[in-house]
Amino acid sequence: MSQATATAPSTPAPLVALTEDEVLFRDTVRQFANDSVRPLSKKMDEEGVFEHSLIDQFFQLGLMGIEVPEQYGGGAGTFFEAILAVEELSAVDASAGVVVDVQNTLVNNALLHWTTEEQKKRYLPRMCSDLVGAYALSEAGSGSDAFALQTKAELKGSEYVLNGQKMWITNGKEAGLFILLATVDPSAGYKGITAFIVEKDFPGFTVGKKEDKLGIRASSTCELILDNCRVPKDNVLGQVGKGYKIAIETLNEGRIGIGAQMIGLARGAVQHAVKYAQERKQFGKAIAEFQAIQFQIAQMATEIEAARMLLYNAARMKDAGMSFVKEAAMTKLYCSQVAERVASLCVEIYGGYGFTKDYPVEKLFRDSKIGSIYEGTSNMQLQTIAKLVIK
Ligand SMILES: Cc1cc2nc3c(=O)[nH]c(=O)nc-3n(C[C@H](O)[C@H](O)[C@H](O)COP(=O)(O)OP(=O)(O)OC[C@H]3O[C@@H](n4cnc5c(N)ncnc54)[C@H](O)[C@@H]3O)c2cc1C
């Protein structure tokens, strides 16, 4: 071996490679999801209510402050670990996945990057112990065109007075803290947009109607009403007028989280379908013995593997401090497409039984649809990717 080869840098690890700590963390969440979330999943879907005891267990397991530094009571983990947690929970229940996803990839992310030291001390320990977070950007008239938001914030003495309505806010029912975007100057366009840390008990703040949804029914999606809501000046997040930057940067990470939710869901669906195909007999043999079924399963497994590589690479890029905007958009776009295709095919593999609520894939099919809608629709991901590809 030449000296040049002997001293060459080591080969990068394959994308599937996990550290020992990551394997331990993933397996712990996987076991918890199977033991504690699975028995409640069907009931939560039917009732459209998230079981509160599960949220308590998320806190106890350290799943609500994965990346928060130890000094504030967090797990001092990586973004990649947050992604593993969302994938594992979503393999069992996508609503459980999104509770943990919003807390880590949106709310804690924004708090970690944009708060003052005083705000960190005030909020981060609670985010790791008992405070659920929500991220409030969308309104009835502003979804994809998020910065056309109408909620106004007016400075009066030492407080901002907020007026307006937010819509579609995940964790709305359970949350005690809201990262909420409003404009201090509607004539300034996106430059007026400002992020606020709003506590549930602030005067003038109410959680309104909860949506009755197609999928992720246990995850609460709520309207928020701000009627002369008084927010202390100290609760501005980052700088006044920088809310658009906070929103864009936070959502870039959030999109990788939605990719993880969708890949977990797709994996869960295939696991069910493989088991069923081995048990279900037609024409005197298990349907898994028909090559047509085998090829469908092979195709799904391949697409999930490809999507997971996009997902893991985007998360590793984020942890490595690289730019990951394009990869995050690709991850969300592709993982949600794969999840929808896979969940649909799994319903077919179950035949008529797959179309009923007696079997798990019907729920997974409904849950898969949200991936192409929230945190930027598929069209908006395509727009971001196109902009970065066609420079
Ligand atoms: C279950 C659920 C949970 C949610 N959670 C949250 C949350 O926690 N916080 C939050 O702030 N928001 C949340 N949202 C809102 C979500 O982010 C928006 O619904 C989403 O961004 C789309 O906005 P919209 O519904 O207004 O659709 P629209 O923006 O009206 O889009 C409608 C259609 O037009 C297309 N379209 C729009 N503009 C363009 C364009 N320029 N080019 C091509 N196509 C375009 C879209 O792709 C889509 O197909 C949630 C939504 C749901 C359903």
Side-chain angles (χ1 to χ4, degrees):
M1 192 187 283
S2 74
Q3 208 179 354
T5 313
T7 56
S10 58
T11 314
L15 284 176
V16 286
L18 304 185
T19 66
E20 268 179 43
D21 283 351
E22 286 166 349
V23 170
L24 189 66
F25 178 79
R26 180 200 63 191
D27 291 351
T28 306
V29 182
R30 185 174 291 179
Q31 174 115 34
F32 164 73
N34 275 313
D35 295 350
S36 304
V37 181
R38 196 179 293 286
L40 297 169
S41 179
K42 189 168 190 291
K43 178 173 170 271
M44 293 197 301
D45 176 60
E46 282 165 2
E47 295 176 0
V49 177
F50 201 81
E51 172 70 37
H52 210 279
S53 65
L54 281 182
I55 296 182
D56 295 339
Q57 291 176 74
F58 293 161
F59 280 113
Q60 283 155 20
L61 276 173
L63 299 181
M64 297 299 259
I66 295 171
E67 288 179 85
V68 176
E70 268 172 23
Q71 70 197 94
Y72 306 110
T78 58
F79 179 67
F80 190 83
E81 283 173 343
I83 290 310
L84 287 178
V86 175
E87 180 186 340
E88 291 307 322
L89 291 170
S90 304
V92 171
D93 187 276
S95 293
V98 80
V99 172
V100 167
D101 174 65
V102 167
Q103 179 90 357
N104 286 281
T105 73
L106 294 180
V107 182
N108 289 346
N109 171 10
L111 293 174
L112 281 169
H113 291 104
W114 299 94
T115 40
T116 61
E117 186 53 34
E118 190 280 320
Q119 289 170 330
K120 281 189 179 62
K121 284 188 181 142
R122 188 152 31 115
Y123 289 115
L124 286 175
R126 291 198 55 206
M127 296 305 292
C128 302
S129 59
D130 63 1
L131 196 57
V132 175
Y135 182 83
L137 172 64
S138 303
E139 298 179 2
S142 61
S144 301
D145 188 10
F147 299 139
L149 61 83
Q150 296 293 310
T151 298
K152 289 184 190 61
E154 200 185 336
L155 185 59
K156 286 191 179 162
S158 61
E159 292 175 330
Y160 277 92
V161 178
L162 271 57
N163 278 291
Q165 275 182 5
K166 293 287 169 185
M167 200 171 167
W168 309 116
I169 308 309
T170 299
N171 290 352
K173 205 161 174 291
E174 297 80 13
L177 179 147
F178 297 77
I179 304 289
L180 190 142
L181 285 297
T183 178
V184 292
D185 180 3
S187 67
Y190 74 91
K191 288 184 180 160
I193 292 172
T194 303
F196 295 89
I197 305 172
V198 178
E199 295 181 29
K200 188 177 79 178
D201 298 331
F202 282 175
F205 180 86
T206 326
V207 178
K209 175 176 164 253
K210 178 169 155 286
E211 301 299 334
D212 186 7
K213 309 194 298 294
L214 169 75
I216 56 163
R217 290 179 51 77
S219 159
S220 67
T221 309
C222 302
E223 178 192 27
L224 308 179
I225 299 146
L226 300 128
D227 181 11
N228 287 319
C229 172
R230 299 209 307 275
V231 179
K233 228 164 101 176
D234 286 350
N235 277 38
V236 168
L237 177 66
Q239 287 162 279
V240 173
K242 283 286 181 316
Y244 72 97
K245 190 168 159 57
I246 295 174
I248 288 172
E249 292 189 6
T250 309
L251 283 167
N252 281 335
E253 288 186 36
R255 283 171 188 148
I256 305 177
I258 302 306
Q261 182 197 31
M262 290 295 116
I263 281 313
L265 183 154
R267 193 185 89 205
V270 170
Q271 278 167 351
H272 286 300
V274 167
K275 190 163 174 284
Y276 182 81
Q278 289 167 326
E279 289 164 0
R280 172 70 175 169
K281 288 198 169 58
Q282 287 293 279
F283 301 96
K285 51 173 137 172
I287 60 168
E289 289 181 46
F290 298 122
Q291 197 180 51
I293 297 282
Q294 292 172 3
F295 281 10
Q296 285 176 329
I297 290 169
Q299 181 70 36
M300 291 192 289
T302 306
E303 289 191 24
I304 291 173
E305 188 73 7
R308 186 184 289 109
M309 292 307 97
L310 263 181
L311 169 71
Y312 284 8
N313 190 49
R316 294 278 192 218
M317 285 174 81
K318 194 268 149 191
D319 279 333
M322 298 165 78
S323 165
F324 59 92
V325 177
K326 184 180 72 186
E327 289 73 13
M330 287 175 165
T331 297
K332 180 177 182 288
L333 173 76
Y334 190 63
C335 292
S336 59
Q337 289 173 340
V338 167
E340 210 176 315
R341 268 199 300 274
V342 163
S344 174
L345 202 47
C346 288
V347 170
E348 287 179 44
I349 289 179
Y350 270 74
Y353 299 101
F355 205 62
T356 71
K357 290 188 185 292
D358 295 338
Y359 290 83
V361 285
E362 176 266 351
K363 171 182 180 293
L364 297 175
F365 180 51
R366 287 187 284 107
D367 287 352
S368 72
K369 192 65 220 178
I370 193 58
S372 59
I373 298 173
Y374 59 11
E375 299 203 29
T377 64
S378 288
N379 276 355
M380 302 321 286
Q381 306 312 316
L382 286 165
Q383 201 180 77
T384 301
I385 298 162
K387 245 189 237 164
L388 292 165
V389 173
I390 315 164
K391 283 187 180 143

